[in-house]
Amino acid sequence: MAEYYNANTILYLNGAFVKATEAKMDFYSQSFHYGYSVFEGIRSYRTAAGETRIFKAKEHFDRLKASAEALNLPYTYTTQELTAVTYALLEKNNLQNAYIRPVVYAPANMSFNLNTESFIVIEVWEMAPFLGDKLLRVMTSSFQRPNPKGFKIQAKAAGHYVNSILASQEAKAAGYDEALLNDMHGFVAEAPGANVFVEKNGKLYTPGLGNILPGITRATVLELCAELNIPVEEKMFTTEDMYGADAAFFCGTAAEVIGLASLDGKPFTAAWENTIAKLIQENYKNLTLENKSALLTEVMGVD
Ligand code: PMP
């Protein structure tokens, strides 16, 4: 298991900075028993200028609030306040390149009743930016994403991640790097912890909203496409439609932009270096690192 904290690590717990080794939570919490909590996955980067920047802080803390509201969890924090707390927490832990994990959770409550209060913890640990060109071998999962009529699928709720864990474990047990899950209607939805794009004949496609977590990285990729004049379309498609396409990639805060080598053993056919996907990967990297050099446009004649 990875090491997330040590004897010196500080976390933020309900208004106070405390040692991770001394922090306590209630084992009678409704969150622990029923997976009823909401969280975020955020990153900070050491920028090209050497500063610490939380990437898309507003978007992430706004989504945390929206997730809490979707699940009827009391939420008394502001995005501004949590952003400031997180910068302080990074400094206390001497971190620049970090993963940031806020969790809003419920008090002791074994019933299914509403709560009048909730709690927050923010944990941070080191995470270096992804600088490689590794490509993932992916399998279509036998698990579907949860039915949006059974869950608030747009919320980043802890309980949803049992589905992600099952899918990812299944893929790894079968010798793949990661899973790709369909929605309940058999259309491609997303990876266990990332959204997906596919590239065909100079154009990108990604599943529309409704059956997926509306990823902040996905939104950033759509913005990059607009800036770079890359044609992109949100539409439903199947894994069969993806087989043999030029390229595909997953995108998410932790994954950043990472290419796929193959889906169900069928390789994507363009050389990664020559794809729009690679261009998006490079430009996303520049954004996170605030590398102010011009947007890269040399690949595939995109201008
Ligand atoms: N889908 C799922 C299921 C996820 O867990 C994540 C990671 N938060 C994403 C997509 C990508 O979201 P984001 O780009 O906001 O990290």
Side-chain angles (χ1 to χ4, degrees):
M1 285 290 139
E3 193 193 75
Y4 297 100
Y5 65 97
N6 59 36
N8 300 318
T9 304
I10 304 289
L11 53 73
Y12 177 79
L13 185 62
N14 303 313
F17 293 102
V18 299
K19 279 199 156 186
T21 50
E22 290 165 12
K24 291 193 171 72
M25 81 165 276
D26 197 326
F27 283 117
Y28 296 75
S29 163
Q30 199 184 28
S31 302
F32 180 58
H33 288 258
Y34 306 124
Y36 178 64
S37 64
V38 296
F39 68 101
E40 265 307 316
I42 315 174
R43 277 176 90 156
S44 64
Y45 292 90
R46 178 185 159 89
T47 66
E51 285 165 354
T52 306
R53 280 276 189 286
I54 302 172
F55 189 65
K56 303 274 176 187
K58 179 175 178 350
E59 287 80 353
H60 282 283
F61 285 117
D62 285 354
R63 187 171 65 185
L64 185 65
K65 180 170 198 260
S67 295
E69 286 172 355
L71 267 72
N72 311 316
L73 274 164
Y75 191 90
T76 55
Y77 323 100
T78 66
T79 288
Q80 219 178 2
E81 162 199 355
L82 294 182
T83 304
V85 155
T86 305
Y87 272 112
L89 187 63
L90 289 168
E91 203 170 320
K92 283 180 193 299
N93 286 285
N94 208 11
L95 287 170
Q96 290 200 291
N97 290 311
Y99 188 80
I100 300 156
R101 169 54 59 80
V103 186
V104 175
Y105 60 98
N109 181 358
M110 293 298 159
S111 80
F112 300 152
N113 295 336
L114 274 175
N115 302 291
T116 53
E117 57 177 350
S118 69
F119 304 113
I120 189 165
V121 63
I122 306 178
E123 298 158 5
V124 294
W125 59 86
E126 180 149 29
M127 186 177 278
F130 171 67
L131 297 170
D133 261 350
K134 179 181 155 65
L135 300 176
L136 302 176
R137 295 166 47 259
V138 170
M139 74 168 255
T140 304
S141 184
S142 73
F143 296 96
Q144 297 178 338
R145 287 298 284 162
N147 179 347
K149 290 186 174 156
F151 292 91
K152 298 285 183 73
I153 198 72
Q154 78 283 7
K156 202 163 165 61
H160 301 174
Y161 284 80
V162 177
N163 170 259
S164 297
I165 289 170
L166 289 172
S168 199
Q169 288 177 348
E170 176 190 53
K172 283 159 191 164
Y176 292 89
D177 297 312
E178 195 47 282
L180 177 63
L181 290 86
N182 285 329
D183 66 23
M184 62 179 293
H185 301 296
F187 293 105
V188 170
E190 60 189 326
N195 294 114
V196 62
F197 282 77
V198 61
E199 173 178 341
K200 260 189 182 180
N201 303 322
K203 185 169 173 183
L204 295 180
Y205 301 88
T206 195
L209 301 182
N211 295 288
I212 59 171
L213 185 80
I216 290 162
T217 318
R218 175 184 178 279
T220 307
V221 169
L222 292 174
E223 282 164 26
L224 280 173
C225 287
E227 280 179 53
L228 293 164
N229 284 320
I230 293 167
V232 61
E233 192 181 338
E234 298 179 60
K235 70 176 249 185
M236 299 308 175
F237 51 84
T238 64
T239 44
E240 283 75 23
D241 295 329
M242 287 180 70
Y243 292 153
D246 297 325
F249 60 89
F250 287 164
C251 66
T253 300
E256 301 180 328
V257 173
I258 186 161
L260 270 54
S262 60
L263 178 60
D264 300 326
K266 297 168 183 66
F268 292 98
T269 45
W272 179 249
E273 291 300 314
N274 300 330
T275 60
I276 297 175
K278 160 86 176 171
L279 182 69
I280 294 287
Q281 184 183 49
E282 290 289 309
N283 281 284
Y284 182 78
K285 195 178 302 171
N286 283 341
L287 262 189
T288 60
L289 303 178
E290 294 187 0
N291 190 345
K292 298 282 200 293
S293 62
L295 288 168
L296 298 171
T297 57
E298 69 269 26
V299 180
M300 295 192 70
V302 177
D303 58 18

